[in-house]
Amino acid sequence: MRHKVAGRGFGRNANQRKALLRGLVTSLIEHLKIETTVAKAKEAKKLAERIITLGRRGDLHARRLALSHIPNNSIITKLFNELAPKITRNSGYLRIVKTRLRAGDSADMAILEFADYDLLKTEKKEEKKKTKEEKKED
């Protein structure tokens, strides 16, 4: 019986589970959208929402706490400098959209993405265009 046992184990030990969730959240912040199983998406959403909230706080202590969860300096810098200032919501930064059954094992698949994905993605494209234009001018 699983009385008062929170979270999913994924058939892994604690270190492997922590690494899996770190990788999912890192990919989510890098690409703004990932496809994974529904169970992994639900667990990754919990961790990612906490880290995004830290990014919205934006102070040094919040940055250090975020780095303790995801020790990837470039991803945390992107979160704090680019993504967090554009997020206007108080909570509910992410959404899970169920998509299909995976062909190999019939696992339920889902897309985990930012709720403001379209807004963040269009601004990202505009920034790329600006940098390309600046390079051409040089």
Side-chain angles (χ1 to χ4, degrees):
M1 288 184 284
R2 288 181 47 92
H3 295 301
K4 295 188 176 184
V5 177
R8 293 168 179 83
F10 300 121
R12 293 171 162 88
N13 62 36
N15 291 333
Q16 292 171 341
R17 188 168 49 250
K18 194 173 180 180
L20 169 77
L21 294 175
R22 280 179 175 177
L24 287 172
V25 174
T26 301
S27 295
L28 175 67
I29 293 171
E30 184 178 354
H31 301 291
L32 305 178
K33 180 187 218 180
I34 57 171
E35 185 178 21
T36 183
T37 62
V38 173
K40 288 177 186 174
K42 287 180 179 180
E43 285 298 311
K45 182 180 177 184
K46 291 178 188 178
L47 179 62
E49 296 233 350
R50 283 190 212 127
I51 292 171
I52 294 167
T53 302
L54 291 172
R56 290 197 62 220
R57 269 184 33 199
D59 58 348
L60 179 62
H61 184 60
R63 185 178 292 263
R64 287 179 176 165
L65 287 174
L67 278 167
S68 72
H69 288 290
I70 298 177
N72 187 333
N73 213 353
S74 62
I75 294 297
I76 297 298
T77 302
K78 178 180 179 180
L79 172 67
F80 276 71
N81 295 343
E82 297 174 23
L83 297 179
K86 296 176 188 172
I87 297 174
T88 58
R89 299 168 177 263
N90 291 328
S91 63
Y93 313 115
L94 303 172
R95 72 170 146 233
I96 298 173
V97 181
K98 296 182 182 179
T99 56
R100 63 188 174 96
L101 296 177
R102 188 163 52 197
D105 60 355
S106 241
D108 287 330
M109 299 297 285
I111 291 176
L112 178 62
E113 66 182 1
F114 280 86
D116 299 325
Y117 175 74
D118 297 329
L119 175 69
L120 295 173
K121 184 158 182 132
T122 56
E123 290 178 2
K124 187 177 179 182
K125 285 182 181 177
E126 290 173 5
E127 289 174 7
K128 284 184 180 179
K129 287 180 183 177
K130 287 180 183 176
T131 56
K132 286 182 181 178
E133 291 172 1
E134 290 174 2
K135 287 181 181 177
K136 289 180 181 177
E137 291 174 0
D138 292 339

